[in-house]
Amino acid sequence: MFPPGTEQQQGLSLLKDTLNLANHGISLYETVRDDDNQIVDFRVVAMNHLAEQLHGVSAEQSEGRLVTAIFPAIRSHPNWARTIRVAETGLPFHETVFTTFPLAHTDGWFDLSIRPWHTGVAITYQPLRADLGKETTCQQRPQLEQQARLFDSVLDQMLNGLLILKVIRDEKGQLDDVEYVRASRSLEQHGVASVEQLIGKRMRSLYPHATQTEIWRRYQALLETGTPQRFEEYYQADGLDIWMDISLTLLDNDTILSIYQPISELKRYQQALETQNQLLCRTNENLQQFAYVASHDLQEPLRKIRSFGDILESRYSPVLDNDGSDLIRRMQSSAARMTYLVQDLLTYSRLTTHRQPHAPVDLGYVMQRVRLELLSEIEKASIRLVIPELPPVPGDSPQLFQLFFGLVNNAIKFRKSESPCEITISHCLVKGAEIPAEEVTPISHTYHCIKVQDNGIGFDPVYTNRIFTIFQRLHSKSKYPGTGIGLAICKKVVDNHNGYLTATSQPGAGSTFAVYLPK
């Protein structure tokens, strides 16, 4: 490699003398790269005496020569891929391995270490005691045979598929194929293949399409990074039609553990569920559109009914008897109730079809609008409405107005006739865990809690859930007018804001409605 007598040759001679002092084999290689800077070979720099004995070649025959020229079959040896990986990544390899040395016609267990060195790698072989290995093998053979039988029994009983795969590498140390080493009997039940059909075979010969799938890409990622892989794959080729949930783990540099669960039934169920969900969404959209159009178009004939009723009452009341006048009044009353019902249905429909992006909403301003809208009722009944300073909340301003207008209007409607009406608004922040509602998620989030409390007639707690259902009434319309939609609208608004609406009450003791909106 270097001219005799040069400093480099003297340094190499000193290095070899130092290496020969070691009690294990040491080889030093420098990398040989092509024009693309890819490692294509190694050149022997130095070998100590123990390395010469192990390899079956002298230092004079090897130093300065390409490794592939000295050992023509080296590219298929497991150590070749390990050596390239260390040279490329700079990450050392250290493991107890069974290694063969063809030229020396020897093999055995060695403590193998491959580490980066200068412009190449340093490889050390520490032979393990052969006599100790034989003694241990003899003593442990019955136990090992029992463990092997137990392992095969476990494989046969596994519900999920399990494969142990041997990595086959190409000349550059890259993944070329995998060989099936062990397999569970459940593979046959899953319609993949029998154990006898797999063991000793290679994947590319049995399943040529595999190299075009995510499975192959995940094998490559596992070997490059060592990071366990978990993914789903639909394989429809080579006689298979199956969904799989696959986990890959690297047992050593050339052994992969693959565990997979067939999920074809689950996927078919999910696909059917998605289809039904899409159908339900389209049906719901059609219903919402129908409700909007029907509500909108119904208002015109209602206006004509009320208009004609007014004409009848004003022009012909002198010639009508009491029964005739009473019929007109009833007709007008029914038409008015129908108008209110259609308007509320239209409002309820718009809560789904007319949404705005959420933005900060001045809740204090919303409450003042509610007060102004209900001012005539408030002044007429001398109602005391207490509104504190309120913070902004994220939401849809028109919908939040509908929410609190509905709650305050509900409190006014169901006030006591014999005592002054008081309605108090309050605000605080709470955690999700404090909300008295089912399935609050996540319980760690903070919520605005806005309460509307009154001293009205109240209601029996058994009706708590019923009051938020559309068209549900606790009182007759003759005693307390309304459409039965008001609180359903409030509940819909809160749902649109990913919040919660609760109510607590006792007959004669007033009611408290609590609105919880995410902070």
Side-chain angles (χ1 to χ4, degrees):
M1 292 179 63
F2 303 108
T6 64
E7 292 184 5
Q8 292 89 343
Q9 182 64 35
Q10 293 173 1
L12 179 61
S13 177
L14 178 61
L15 175 62
K16 290 171 59 178
D17 291 339
T18 304
L19 297 179
N20 285 327
L21 296 176
N23 60 357
H24 49 266
I26 302 177
S27 299
L28 301 181
Y29 297 163
E30 64 180 5
T31 58
V32 177
R33 300 178 181 269
D34 61 13
D35 294 337
D36 295 326
N37 202 35
Q38 299 296 314
I39 297 176
V40 294
D41 211 333
F42 293 89
R43 193 182 307 279
V44 179
V45 176
M47 299 173 65
N48 69 355
H49 293 325
L50 285 177
E52 290 177 315
Q53 296 173 17
L54 289 172
H55 287 293
V57 61
S58 67
E60 289 74 17
Q61 294 173 317
S62 59
E63 289 174 358
R65 295 180 60 195
L66 296 178
V67 173
T68 54
I70 305 170
F71 311 109
I74 190 64
R75 294 187 187 276
S76 61
H77 198 283
N79 286 353
W80 181 257
R82 294 165 181 161
T83 305
I84 289 179
R85 191 155 52 249
V86 171
E88 286 181 335
T89 66
L91 299 176
F93 173 89
H94 184 200
E95 197 168 302
T96 299
V97 298
F98 186 84
T99 298
T100 60
F101 297 93
L103 294 184
H105 303 289
T106 61
D107 56 29
W109 287 95
F110 291 83
D111 188 359
L112 174 65
S113 176
I114 307 175
R115 300 180 181 279
W117 170 81
H118 193 47
T119 59
V121 294
I123 306 175
T124 62
Y125 303 90
Q126 176 66 52
L128 302 180
R129 287 180 53 191
D131 56 338
L132 179 61
K134 293 178 182 178
E135 179 183 355
T136 302
T137 302
C138 293
Q139 292 175 350
Q140 293 185 345
R141 183 169 296 145
Q143 181 180 358
L144 293 176
E145 291 176 353
Q146 181 181 2
Q147 290 176 350
R149 287 194 297 271
L150 178 61
F151 180 68
D152 288 337
S153 176
V154 170
L155 280 181
D156 290 342
Q157 299 300 319
M158 286 190 67
L159 297 178
N160 293 341
L162 183 146
L163 294 168
I164 296 180
L165 307 169
K166 177 184 176 182
V167 177
I168 309 300
R169 300 180 184 273
D170 59 19
E171 294 181 352
K172 295 183 178 181
Q174 303 299 315
L175 175 65
D176 182 64
D177 209 338
V178 292
E179 181 180 315
Y180 296 97
V181 178
R182 303 295 287 270
S184 62
R185 290 285 175 186
S186 58
L187 292 166
E188 191 169 358
Q189 301 172 7
H190 299 154
V192 178
S194 66
V195 174
E196 290 73 20
Q197 291 172 321
L198 289 176
I199 301 304
K201 305 295 193 308
R202 295 191 176 185
M203 179 176 287
R204 296 180 68 170
S205 63
L206 294 178
Y207 307 108
H209 184 71
T211 56
Q212 312 298 321
T213 67
E214 182 69 14
I215 298 174
W216 197 259
R217 290 186 286 274
R218 293 300 185 116
Y219 283 154
Q220 293 172 326
L222 177 69
L223 295 175
E224 290 173 2
T225 66
T227 304
Q229 305 289 312
R230 174 77 181 272
F231 60 101
E232 292 181 358
E233 176 69 12
Y234 177 51
Y235 199 96
Q236 189 181 29
D238 307 320
L240 296 180
D241 186 358
I242 187 173
W243 272 98
M244 297 173 286
D245 184 331
I246 303 175
S247 298
L248 301 178
T249 305
L250 198 61
L251 297 181
D252 59 38
N253 286 339
D254 295 304
T255 308
I256 296 173
L257 173 64
S258 173
I259 298 177
Y260 82 88
Q261 180 179 6
I263 56 173
S264 297
E265 290 297 325
L266 176 61
K267 280 296 181 181
R268 281 192 284 269
Y269 174 77
Q270 288 179 344
Q271 290 170 353
L273 188 62
E274 289 175 2
T275 301
Q276 289 297 321
N277 185 55
Q278 292 172 1
L279 179 61
L280 182 61
C281 288
R282 287 196 298 269
T283 302
N284 186 56
E285 289 174 0
N286 291 337
L287 286 173
Q288 294 292 342
Q289 189 66 22
F290 172 78
Y292 174 75
V293 172
S295 300
H296 186 272
D297 292 348
L298 279 173
Q299 292 186 80
E300 179 59 27
L302 282 172
R303 281 193 293 267
K304 289 183 177 179
I305 291 173
R306 297 182 69 179
S307 177
F308 292 152
D310 291 338
I311 294 173
L312 282 173
E313 187 174 15
S314 62
R315 289 185 181 182
Y316 300 103
S317 58
V319 298
L320 292 174
D321 58 14
N322 291 335
D323 289 340
S325 298
D326 183 58
L327 287 174
I328 292 177
R329 285 193 296 271
R330 289 188 180 187
M331 180 187 70
Q332 291 290 74
S333 176
S334 295
R337 287 200 305 272
M338 188 64 179
T339 299
Y340 298 142
L341 179 60
V342 168
Q343 289 174 347
D344 282 350
L345 277 174
L346 188 59
T347 299
Y348 190 83
S349 174
R350 282 174 171 166
L351 291 176
T352 300
T353 58
H354 294 74
R355 294 191 187 184
Q356 295 182 3
H358 287 187
V361 177
D362 186 344
L363 204 54
Y365 175 70
V366 169
M367 289 298 185
Q368 292 304 322
R369 286 180 58 205
V370 171
R371 180 197 289 273
L372 290 174
E373 189 72 20
L374 296 169
L375 186 58
S376 61
E377 287 285 335
I378 292 172
E379 293 179 345
K380 180 180 178 181
S382 300
I383 296 170
R384 183 169 180 263
L385 176 59
V386 179
I387 303 176
E389 184 176 347
L390 296 170
V393 298
D396 180 332
S397 181
Q399 288 195 16
L400 290 178
F401 170 78
Q402 290 176 328
L403 167 63
F404 291 107
F405 174 85
L407 293 179
V408 174
N409 188 47
N410 186 76
I412 293 174
K413 182 189 304 181
F414 295 104
R415 65 185 184 273
K416 293 177 182 177
S417 58
E418 68 276 7
S419 59
C421 175
E422 292 188 2
I423 304 172
T424 303
I425 312 296
S426 63
H427 169 270
C428 65
L429 294 175
V430 299
K431 291 294 184 182
E434 303 174 53
I435 299 176
E438 296 181 359
E439 299 181 0
V440 177
T441 55
I443 60 175
S444 60
H445 279 196
T446 302
Y447 291 79
H448 292 281
C449 174
I450 304 100
K451 292 183 178 181
V452 180
Q453 184 176 7
D454 64 62
N455 62 343
I457 63 173
F459 59 88
D460 192 317
V462 298
Y463 300 119
T464 298
N465 293 327
R466 177 179 169 184
I467 62 175
F468 296 118
T469 305
I470 193 169
F471 298 135
Q472 294 295 314
R473 301 174 58 94
L474 302 185
H475 307 279
S476 66
K477 58 181 177 290
S478 60
K479 188 174 182 180
Y480 292 98
T483 60
I485 305 178
L487 289 179
I489 291 175
C490 295
K491 181 67 166 58
K492 185 68 174 176
V493 171
V494 174
D495 289 344
N496 287 348
H497 287 72
N498 299 316
Y500 303 90
L501 177 59
T502 65
T504 56
S505 184
Q506 288 294 334
S511 304
T512 300
F513 289 84
V515 177
Y516 298 92
L517 301 176
K519 184 175 182 296

